[in-house]
Amino acid sequence: MQLFLECLPCLLRQVLEAARMATSDVDVQSDIMDEAVRLLAGYRSYSCAPMICEAMHKIVKEQSGVEDPYAQIKERDIGQALKLEPLLKDFALREGDALRLALKVAATGNIMDSALYQNLDIAACLKAELEKPFAISDLEDFKDEIEGAGQILIIGDNAGEVVFDKILAEYLAPEHQIIFAVRDAAIINDATVGDARRAGMQHYAGIISTGCRAPGAIYELCSPEFQDVFDKADVVISKGQGNYEALSDPSRQVYFLLKAKCPRIAQTLNVAVNEYVFKRIGG
Amino acid sequence: MQLFLECLPCLLRQVLEAARMATSDVDVQSDIMDEAVRLLAGYRSYSCAPMICEAMHKIVKEQSGVEDPYAQIKERDIGQALKLEPLLKDFALREGDALRLALKVAATGNIMDSALYQNLDIAACLKAELEKPFAISDLEDFKDEIEGAGQILIIGDNAGEVVFDKILAEYLAPEHQIIFAVRDAAIINDATVGDARRAGMQHYAGIISTGCRAPGAIYELCSPEFQDVFDKADVVISKGQGNYEALSDPSRQVYFLLKAKCPRIAQTLNVAVNEYVFKRIGG
């Protein structure tokens, strides 16, 4: 998906956030912003937001010497999500369509990177979010698709969200082989292999790296091993906005599971901001 | 006041807003953003945010050919504020310290550029804002200062706010000569001479231009005529954040009257975001 003009200030705001997390040295923060703005001036040479986002956060890592500025945030998010796991399980086990409930839990995990930052009452907020229906749901197609499917690939998003994805993986695991793919290196608060393990995903899925270091699985930048899994999996579920931006024109059928958090992303999906989407694209 | 790193994404967001108001041609919007990001990369050569803000919005004007992208917004804001004038007068005439009430009305006018944009119930919102006390108030010093003062200079901020400033000017006018200074040309939603006239300020004050086209009266960029008024006025009241950023290290005593809307500005004043300030600096 193209880079929107709205992405430019948003990318810059996020780099400053990362710079502040990586270092308290204001000179280094300034140097990071200098380089980031210069890089941003060449935004037209990047095909999607996750690609320029990776380049900008590389500046943060190089200038600060900190490989994972969001390490503490991710640890906090995973810890908080694990505490909320009983609540998620209760919701998933309530009466109703068990697959829809599991998908809704996984989609709702998408709030973990914003809700916690704002010091909201996360349990109350989470309960309300879980109750929100999907604005778009290709659930019936998905049900047909997973009937007899062998391998299901889930491409993960942020670190805390993995605990939510685990509920979906647990539901699907008895009948299918689940592969859970994550970023190849630390980038903002997205899950890496280590984060996915800390969230406990290994109990239900094989964890692999996409080979891509951007906050979205840009197919061309993924490893041949991941590309092979992506091409051959019977069903692919892509979590979050970053993967949607990276994979919006997929070479195969992909189910996108996300909360539309930004107005422009919402617009491309024809939903309102904050609505939940489970949508099949491509193939 | 120095440019903060937080200003960079904020400036870019504001330019995009202006570009969208000036033209619906997405190519022109893109060209504006291209040039704006390149200019932003040289942010270190600007001494304060209003200065780079002016340069960035000059790009919008030049590329779109639209001299005043916020013309309609300003007209709407002034119209809305004029409708609210009876409510403001009621507040100003209630029992209590009449000067404090008039100052509070003028300070509250500072919400006109954000409240309306969000489609809030402006009358309800305004009543609540009027009731908020000043977090910092140098009212007693101000009272001593205006005792026997001849000329009082008020440096205006956004267009809708002028209707609120009129309440203060009306209160002060019987005893003092009021000069109301505005931007030299259209810049974001700030008041120009035409806007101040539309708001009706001429009934209580002489309206002059600062000679400066930035969204803040940067002394060095103001006209000799304005500098003379600024230097010689018995009392100077500076409205809003932009003027505070431009004049924060003034060559004379200035009373800053504003609502702290941004976290960094609030920090410099030692108040919380959204708090009201009436503070004497310099001299």
Side-chain angles (χ1 to χ4, degrees), chain B residues 4 11 26 47 53 64 80 91 95 100 103 117 133 152 176 181 185 233 241 256 268 272:
Chain B
F4 298 112
L11 285 162
V26 291
S47 62
C53 186
S64 70
Q80 186 88 37
F91 179 84
E95 216 163 309
R100 187 186 63 77
L103 284 164
Y117 288 2
I152 298 180
H176 314 276
Q241 288 192 165
F256 291 96
T268 67

Side-chain angles (χ1 to χ4, degrees), chain B residues 143-174:
Chain B
K143 279 182 179 167
D144 291 345
E145 216 88 49
I146 61 168
E147 184 101 20
Q151 204 172 67
I152 298 180
L153 168 65
I154 303 173
I155 309 173
D157 187 22
N158 77 65
E161 191 172 339
V162 179
V163 176
F164 294 64
D165 297 334
K166 228 169 53 175
I167 304 281
L168 177 61
E170 186 180 3
Y171 177 84
L172 295 169

Side-chain angles (χ1 to χ4, degrees), chain A residues 48-196:
Chain A
C48 65
M51 197 181 272
I52 189 168
C53 187
E54 180 196 352
M56 290 179 78
H57 285 267
K58 202 168 159 224
I59 298 170
V60 179
K61 293 182 189 186
E62 284 173 356
Q63 295 258 13
S64 69
V66 176
E67 243 335 282
D68 189 358
Y70 287 76
Q72 280 187 308
I73 296 287
K74 292 195 292 182
E75 199 182 316
R76 186 197 64 181
D77 286 1
I78 294 170
Q80 186 88 36
L82 287 170
K83 274 191 209 144
L84 294 165
E85 215 176 350
L87 191 157
L88 302 179
K89 287 192 169 168
D90 280 352
F91 179 83
L93 292 172
R94 69 155 69 166
E95 216 163 310
D97 185 327
L99 178 55
R100 187 186 64 76
L101 292 169
L103 283 165
K104 190 64 220 308
V105 169
T108 304
N110 215 205
I111 66 167
M112 287 306 288
D113 59 351
S114 45
L116 280 177
Y117 288 2
Q118 293 160 27
N119 291 318
L120 300 173
D121 175 348
I122 181 72
C125 171
L126 182 56
K127 279 181 193 167
E129 290 291 319
L130 285 167
E131 298 299 339
K132 286 189 192 170
F134 283 108
I136 296 175
S137 172
D138 288 338
L139 179 62
E140 295 311 314
D141 295 320
F142 183 74
K143 278 182 180 167
D144 292 345
E145 216 90 50
I146 62 168
E147 186 98 20
Q151 204 172 68
I152 298 179
L153 169 65
I154 303 172
I155 309 173
D157 187 25
N158 78 65
E161 192 172 338
V162 181
V163 175
F164 294 64
D165 297 333
K166 228 171 52 177
I167 304 281
L168 177 61
E170 185 179 4
Y171 177 85
L172 295 170
E175 307 269 337
H176 313 277
Q177 186 208 353
I178 314 300
I179 307 284
F180 191 79
V182 292
R183 313 293 180 229
D184 196 54
I187 178 84
I188 46 177
N189 66 342
D190 284 6
T192 59
V193 170
D195 297 322

Side-chain angles (χ1 to χ4, degrees), chain B residues 88-150:
Chain B
L88 302 178
K89 286 192 169 169
D90 279 353
F91 179 84
L93 292 172
R94 70 156 68 166
E95 216 163 309
D97 185 325
L99 177 57
R100 187 186 63 77
L101 292 169
L103 284 164
K104 189 63 218 312
V105 169
T108 303
N110 214 205
I111 67 167
M112 287 305 289
D113 58 353
S114 47
L116 280 178
Y117 288 2
Q118 294 161 27
N119 291 316
L120 299 173
D121 174 350
I122 180 72
C125 171
L126 181 58
K127 278 181 193 167
E129 289 292 319
L130 285 168
E131 297 299 337
K132 286 189 192 170
F134 283 108
I136 296 174
S137 173
D138 287 339
L139 177 62
E140 295 311 314
D141 295 320
F142 183 74
K143 279 182 179 167
D144 291 345
E145 216 88 49
I146 61 168
E147 184 101 20

Side-chain angles (χ1 to χ4, degrees), chain A residues 5-10 12-13 16 20 26-27 29-31 33-34 37-38 40-44 264, chain B residues 5-10 12-13 16 20 26-27 29-31 33-34 37-38 40-44 264:
Chain A
L5 294 178
E6 287 86 346
C7 300
L8 305 179
C10 203
L12 210 50
R13 186 192 48 71
L16 180 58
R20 294 255 161 91
V26 291
D27 290 334
Q29 291 170 359
S30 290
D31 290 345
M33 292 305 280
D34 282 7
V37 184
R38 282 199 300 272
L40 195 66
Y43 74 91
R44 282 187 192 256
R264 285 313 297 265
Chain B
L5 294 178
E6 286 88 346
C7 299
L8 304 179
C10 202
L12 210 51
R13 185 192 49 70
L16 180 57
R20 294 253 161 92
V26 291
D27 290 334
Q29 290 170 359
S30 291
D31 290 345
M33 291 306 281
D34 282 7
V37 183
R38 283 200 299 276
L40 195 66
Y43 74 90
R44 282 187 192 258
R264 285 313 298 265

